[in-house]
Amino acid sequence: MTDRLQLCSPHPYHHLTGSGGASTRLFRPMSSFHIVSRPFLKSCQNYNEYPSKLVERVRYGFPQLQLYRDRFKNRQEELNLFAASEKFFVPYWDVSENGKVEQRNLLSEDELGVWLGDQYRLDPSDPGKGPAHVVSVKPDPQVRFVFLESASSVAPIETTASALKRVLSYYQVMPYFPDFLYSFGPRNSDERESAGFSSFRAETTLQNIKPALEIPALKRSGKRFQFCATFKGTSSVSFDAEQDAKTRQTWRIRSAVIYHQFDVEYGTQVWIVGDPLQSIHGIVREHIHEDKNHASRFNTPLKSFKTSLEMLLHYSQWAAEDWRWRVQFSEEEIYKSTQHYVIINPDQSVRWDRIGMLVIQNQIEHLTDTVTCIESNIAIMNRLQSFYKDLVDNPAWPQSEIDEYKWAVREFASQLGEHIYDLSMQLKRANIALQIGKERKDILIQHLAAQNAKKQEENAAKQEEYTRIMWQQQHKTSLDAVAMKVITVITLVYLPMTFVSTFFSTDVVKYQPDNEPGNTTASGLDTSKERVSTLALSRFFTISVPLMLLTFLFAYGWYRWERYWMNKESGGYKSSTHGERSLDV
């Protein structure tokens, strides 16, 4: 009830979106009054509920529309898809019925409302009729381009979600369109995400027209077709390499989302272009120049139809033209980074090149993305061919000038086929380059594996030689230990005797020799020069032998004592796996 009261406000200037967003006064007076339908009015009023409030809700199913609405809300927050209101920037490009071009950048939602024309005023002849007789003041231009752009490929789209919903509701855009935008935004800055998504959705309404969509005042007959498509282009970029401070070149994927709506009776066109890097914007600026008059290109539905096909061919040309150079770049990078080991002598060692391996892997991934994008473009172009052929073959298509329409579609399909053929050739080339890259990577890995195996053999031989040397050293050490053992035993034997001999040789103990000077033996030998004491000799052995035994006993006892304490400190280690005895045994 509140909406109805607001809608019937006596103020002469209001927005059609009275409850969906803030109302704004028009900046110029209304010049004409046109009746619009109540369902269309309500759909535009509740644009924030897009797409659940579309006029053709029954066609899509209400639960499905709610699912699209909730997904739109969730994804725009998760992906940070749209910019803040202070960064609002929506370029548009209009061609009026008289062929003049109007180009402007909208900087706020208020300006969007004035430009769009979704405004109403009560019928002055009968203000009591209410919303069903609301009047509009701005019919659609002959051609309208709306560009969704961003400051860079990783920046949010420079519009707000509510502004986009407002445009989509005003033109009753199919609910699938927002799904095409989810590959944009900062969260999807990775090239592989941009390369991965591709789709084509189309709808044709040529009969059983819903009355709410027949709005002659807006140049809308309700007989229309619309489609969404993704095109993948590529372009080179330069960057400064960190490792050598040189400027290098690489290639990036550029994704564009194209929405097109065409009114069959009035020949009016709407293009909504998701174009983060303004690639499509440049094509429109080039082929629909603002300084020229284009009335002859849009003054009949047939001419407008042909012009729309021309624009699609320009988009297809953009999506096909630079893949040749991207593939060539990848081929050259793979060749430069692999030629030094592909032609190498098998016996020559391979130099491990970490940067080269990264280059190969990077180019393999780039070629994989290239193949994905080219296949996507081919599929989209094939789908466009079949879509337009089925369109003009539809019995409900206007039969006036039908031959001209079919000829235009055949010409369009023929030229599109040239782009498809060119892309097919580049696809084959990319697949060959991808296969070569993988094979050369495998060759490098095999070279490195063989080289590592050879190094392992060399290391094993060195280890064996080292083991042999260690065994020799151990053997020598064992011999030295035996020698030291012999020396120790001999020392233990002679040490007591040495001690006794040294002791007896001092003046502490003196013995007189048994023979006096002048004595002779029985054989007549003179023994006066022999000074031998049998008593000293007997005592020498009497003392030396026991002392030697005591020395051995003391040494053995000391050895046992030290062994005992070693075992005690080590915890009496015993080997249970090899049956070795403990040191304390």
Side-chain angles (χ1 to χ4, degrees):
M1 187 64 182
T2 303
D3 291 345
R4 177 178 289 275
L5 292 175
Q6 182 179 0
L7 187 63
C8 297
S9 170
H11 198 288
Y13 300 107
H14 294 282
H15 277 299
L16 190 66
T17 55
S19 64
S23 62
T24 302
R25 179 172 297 184
L26 285 173
F27 298 113
R28 57 178 177 238
M30 300 181 182
S31 57
S32 59
F33 308 100
H34 307 286
I35 298 176
V36 297
S37 64
R38 183 194 299 266
F40 176 73
L41 173 65
K42 288 187 175 181
S43 178
C44 293
Q45 275 187 297
N46 296 282
Y47 65 84
N48 272 324
E49 296 298 316
Y50 173 88
S52 62
K53 298 298 182 180
L54 288 174
V55 172
E56 294 186 290
R57 290 189 293 274
V58 177
R59 177 175 190 169
Y60 305 107
F62 187 69
Q64 190 71 15
L65 291 178
Q66 285 185 314
L67 177 64
Y68 283 119
R69 180 197 62 190
D70 295 339
R71 183 162 63 198
F72 191 9
K73 180 180 178 181
N74 296 332
R75 295 299 287 173
Q76 73 185 44
E77 296 173 355
E78 293 175 5
L79 300 177
N80 191 20
L81 192 59
F82 300 105
S85 57
E86 60 269 16
K87 295 184 179 181
F88 192 96
F89 183 83
V90 177
Y92 74 86
W93 203 279
D94 286 354
V95 180
S96 64
E97 191 173 5
N98 59 14
K100 292 183 179 181
V101 176
E102 179 185 1
Q103 189 274 331
R104 186 180 169 191
N105 299 324
L106 303 175
L107 303 179
S108 69
E109 286 195 52
D110 292 340
E111 292 185 22
L112 174 69
V114 174
W115 162 77
L116 199 61
D118 59 341
Q119 301 155 6
Y120 72 88
R121 180 181 178 182
L122 299 180
D123 188 346
S125 63
D126 188 359
K129 291 180 180 180
H133 292 78
V134 169
V135 294
S136 173
V137 298
K138 192 174 182 181
D140 295 338
Q142 201 64 27
V143 183
R144 169 162 286 173
F145 292 89
V146 182
F147 298 98
L148 306 178
E149 300 178 352
S150 59
S152 69
S153 59
V154 296
I157 298 174
E158 293 178 332
T159 185
T160 60
S162 61
L164 179 60
K165 291 177 182 178
R166 186 171 183 171
V167 173
L168 301 182
S169 296
Y170 186 69
Y171 286 106
Q172 295 294 294
V173 174
M174 64 176 75
Y176 321 115
F177 175 73
D179 286 350
F180 287 69
L181 300 177
Y182 298 152
S183 59
F184 298 150
R187 298 291 181 88
N188 286 330
S189 58
D190 185 8
E191 183 180 76
R192 308 212 72 178
E193 175 67 24
S194 179
F197 175 79
S198 180
S199 184
F200 180 92
R201 301 297 293 268
E203 288 182 1
T204 303
T205 307
L206 299 178
Q207 52 189 357
N208 300 324
I209 309 302
K210 200 170 184 64
L213 295 178
E214 296 184 47
I215 313 174
L218 299 183
K219 299 177 68 173
R220 302 184 190 181
S221 66
K223 295 180 179 181
R224 63 175 184 168
F225 64 85
Q226 56 180 331
F227 62 80
C228 298
T230 54
F231 286 95
K232 309 290 184 180
T234 186
S235 62
S236 63
V237 295
S238 299
F239 66 96
D240 295 329
E242 297 180 358
Q243 63 269 20
D244 53 13
K246 293 182 179 179
T247 300
R248 297 184 180 274
Q249 183 187 36
T250 189
W251 288 77
R252 296 286 185 234
I253 293 173
R254 307 306 186 197
S255 182
V257 173
I258 306 295
Y259 169 81
H260 179 50
Q261 182 182 128
F262 187 89
D263 191 282
V264 174
E265 287 192 3
Y266 290 99
T268 55
Q269 306 177 37
V270 177
W271 299 86
I272 302 176
V273 182
D275 185 24
L277 297 179
Q278 305 179 21
S279 303
I280 306 300
H281 195 165
I283 295 174
V284 174
R285 184 183 296 110
E286 179 180 355
H287 295 280
I288 305 181
H289 201 279
E290 58 184 331
D291 294 333
K292 296 181 180 180
N293 188 286
H294 302 275
S296 61
R297 302 176 64 185
F298 303 102
N299 55 7
T300 66
L302 175 61
K303 291 181 178 180
S304 184
F305 181 77
K306 290 181 178 180
T307 306
S308 69
L309 296 181
E310 290 176 9
M311 295 306 301
L312 282 173
L313 287 175
H314 293 316
Y315 304 153
S316 300
Q317 175 66 29
W318 169 80
E321 59 185 355
D322 285 331
W323 291 107
R324 168 187 176 184
W325 309 114
R326 177 180 170 112
V327 174
Q328 180 176 318
F329 175 79
S330 296
E331 290 173 338
E332 292 173 351
E333 288 294 303
I334 290 175
Y335 177 75
K336 287 189 295 185
S337 59
T338 59
Q339 60 177 338
H340 66 281
Y341 61 78
V342 171
I343 59 176
I344 202 169
N345 188 312
D347 297 330
Q348 184 178 350
S349 61
V350 179
R351 178 176 58 86
W352 171 255
D353 187 354
R354 182 179 64 87
I355 300 300
M357 178 63 81
L358 292 177
V359 169
I360 297 172
Q361 183 60 38
N362 188 46
Q363 293 307 319
I364 288 176
E365 293 179 1
H366 279 202
L367 285 169
T368 302
D369 294 337
T370 298
V371 169
T372 301
C373 290
I374 293 178
E375 290 178 342
S376 166
N377 285 339
I378 292 175
I380 295 297
M381 293 179 190
N382 282 325
R383 187 68 182 87
L384 281 171
Q385 281 183 327
S386 61
F387 171 75
Y388 275 99
K389 288 178 181 178
D390 294 341
L391 191 67
V392 295
D393 288 338
N394 192 323
W397 183 266
Q399 295 302 302
S400 61
E401 301 180 303
I402 185 63
D403 292 336
E404 291 290 329
Y405 279 108
K406 290 185 176 181
W407 179 88
V409 170
R410 283 196 299 269
E411 186 68 18
F412 167 74
S414 176
Q415 295 186 44
L416 200 59
E418 295 295 325
H419 297 324
I420 294 173
Y421 178 79
D422 182 62
L423 285 173
S424 299
M425 294 299 99
Q426 301 310 318
L427 178 61
K428 292 180 181 179
R429 185 179 175 188
N431 279 319
I432 293 173
L434 179 60
Q435 185 64 28
I436 291 175
K438 291 179 178 179
E439 290 176 353
R440 292 199 173 188
K441 180 183 175 182
D442 292 339
I443 290 173
L444 175 58
I445 293 174
Q446 291 172 7
H447 273 308
L448 294 174
Q451 184 174 328
N452 290 335
K454 187 176 181 180
K455 286 183 178 180
Q456 290 178 358
E457 292 178 0
E458 293 175 355
N459 291 336
K462 290 180 180 179
Q463 184 67 28
E464 185 177 354
E465 179 65 17
Y466 177 75
T467 303
R468 187 183 65 81
I469 294 174
M470 290 297 296
W471 181 85
Q472 290 178 349
Q473 292 293 334
Q474 183 179 3
H475 182 65
K476 290 180 180 180
T477 302
S478 299
L479 293 178
D480 292 341
V482 172
M484 290 302 298
K485 186 184 294 184
V486 172
I487 293 172
T488 302
V489 172
I490 294 174
T491 301
L492 290 175
V493 171
Y494 283 97
L495 182 62
M497 296 182 181
T498 303
F499 171 74
V500 174
S501 297
T502 303
F503 182 76
F504 281 177
S505 65
T506 64
D507 292 336
V508 177
V509 179
K510 289 187 176 181
Y511 291 94
Q512 296 295 326
D514 293 336
N515 301 322
E516 293 296 333
N519 293 341
T520 58
T521 62
S523 59
L525 297 175
D526 185 5
T527 61
S528 60
K529 295 182 180 180
E530 297 180 6
R531 294 179 164 284
V532 180
S533 174
T534 56
L535 177 62
L537 186 60
S538 63
R539 288 184 178 178
F540 172 78
F541 284 106
T542 302
I543 296 173
S544 296
V545 172
L547 185 59
M548 183 176 62
L549 295 175
L550 288 174
T551 302
F552 274 104
L553 184 61
F554 176 76
Y556 180 71
W558 193 350
Y559 168 75
R560 294 287 296 182
W561 176 260
E562 292 291 338
R563 187 173 175 180
Y564 168 76
W565 282 107
M566 286 178 62
N567 287 336
K568 188 173 182 181
E569 290 177 358
S570 62
Y573 173 77
K574 294 183 179 182
S575 175
S576 60
T577 57
H578 300 289
E580 296 179 353
R581 295 188 302 169
S582 172
L583 292 175
D584 59 356
V585 176

